[in-house]
Amino acid sequence: MISEQLETEFSIGKNHSYDDIKKVYSIWICMNTPEDIANSITEFKMTKNSIYGTFNREVRYDLQSVIIVCLGKNPLQTDNDFLGALETIFTEDFDSATKKKRLKENFNFELDNEIDGRLMDMCNLSQGIREEGIDIGENKMLFKLVYINAINKDIAYTQTNLSKEDFDKAYSEWLKENKQD
């Protein structure tokens, strides 16, 4: 992310230098974290550590920070409003109406139409990802059953949301990935 700034945020040459680089933050939101790190926000930074020789030049070490936000499993188990709000938004336990209500009541979030629309998109996105994961798992199980001759392809076709052509293509790829002939 730092090097991608070249020719966008800064240039090298006459009247320009690396001193024009802007600080970069990488924020990771981690869900389903172990209890010992849940409900925490941690920043990792670069620091100078001379291993050999001397490096006495003044250099900016603050160019990159990684911030890891570890969410807990229950939005109301934290005293931190930021974490509680994020946990409410990302939880799979509430539908969007419940999320909106909890955000307003517990965290004083006023949702305008734009934010409300984005929240709905996020809720639908997580549901879509979950459903896609389930579909992939079900298809792989069907591939295994076809491979061991527990069911034939005609039955497998009726149990998937894929067309026959897409099923056959995915089955061929599964065979290659699993080194089956």
Side-chain angles (χ1 to χ4, degrees):
M1 289 185 286
I2 292 173
S3 63
E4 287 178 359
Q5 294 180 36
L6 182 61
E7 302 304 331
T8 316
E9 300 294 330
F10 75 98
S11 299
I12 299 176
K14 189 175 181 182
N15 301 326
H16 298 286
S17 71
Y18 284 103
D19 293 335
D20 298 325
I21 293 175
K22 293 181 178 164
K23 184 170 183 169
V24 173
Y25 292 92
S26 177
I27 301 172
W28 299 17
I29 298 176
C30 304
M31 297 175 273
N32 300 319
T33 57
E35 249 182 73
D36 62 323
I37 62 170
N39 297 315
S40 66
I41 303 171
T42 307
E43 180 179 18
F44 295 89
K45 302 178 188 183
M46 292 181 5
T47 60
K48 178 182 173 184
N49 181 18
S50 292
I51 305 294
Y52 176 80
T54 58
F55 189 93
N56 294 328
R57 183 180 287 180
E58 190 172 314
V59 177
R60 290 177 50 202
Y61 294 101
D62 70 335
L63 288 177
Q64 182 174 5
S65 286
V66 176
I67 299 170
I68 299 180
V69 179
C70 296
L71 302 181
K73 300 197 185 329
N74 185 340
L76 301 178
Q77 285 182 335
T78 180
D79 294 331
N80 183 288
D81 285 348
F82 176 71
L83 289 171
L86 284 178
E87 289 167 359
T88 299
I89 291 168
F90 289 113
T91 186
E92 296 175 354
D93 297 337
F94 307 136
D95 62 18
S96 61
T98 304
K99 288 180 182 186
K100 287 192 283 189
K101 181 180 177 190
R102 291 185 85 135
L103 287 169
K104 183 174 177 129
E105 290 175 0
N106 296 90
F107 308 106
N108 297 318
F109 262 50
E110 292 296 328
L111 301 175
D112 61 21
N113 288 339
E114 181 182 353
I115 294 173
D116 185 39
R118 289 181 182 182
L119 179 62
M120 290 294 292
D121 289 345
M122 288 175 61
C123 292
N124 292 336
L125 175 63
S126 65
Q127 182 63 30
I129 291 169
R130 174 188 268 179
E131 290 171 4
E132 183 179 337
I134 290 169
D135 287 346
I136 290 169
E138 288 174 350
N139 289 340
K140 286 183 178 182
M141 180 56 69
L142 287 171
F143 299 158
K144 288 178 186 178
L145 292 172
V146 169
Y147 180 73
I148 64 171
N149 294 318
I151 61 172
N152 66 38
K153 277 190 181 178
D154 290 329
I155 293 171
Y157 293 148
T158 66
Q159 300 303 308
T160 183
N161 59 352
L162 299 175
S163 68
K164 288 182 181 184
E165 295 78 21
D166 288 341
F167 182 92
D168 289 339
K169 181 179 176 186
Y171 179 64
S172 291
E173 290 172 9
W174 178 85
L175 289 172
K176 289 177 189 171
E177 289 171 7
N178 293 280
K179 297 181 176 49
Q180 311 289 339
D181 293 317

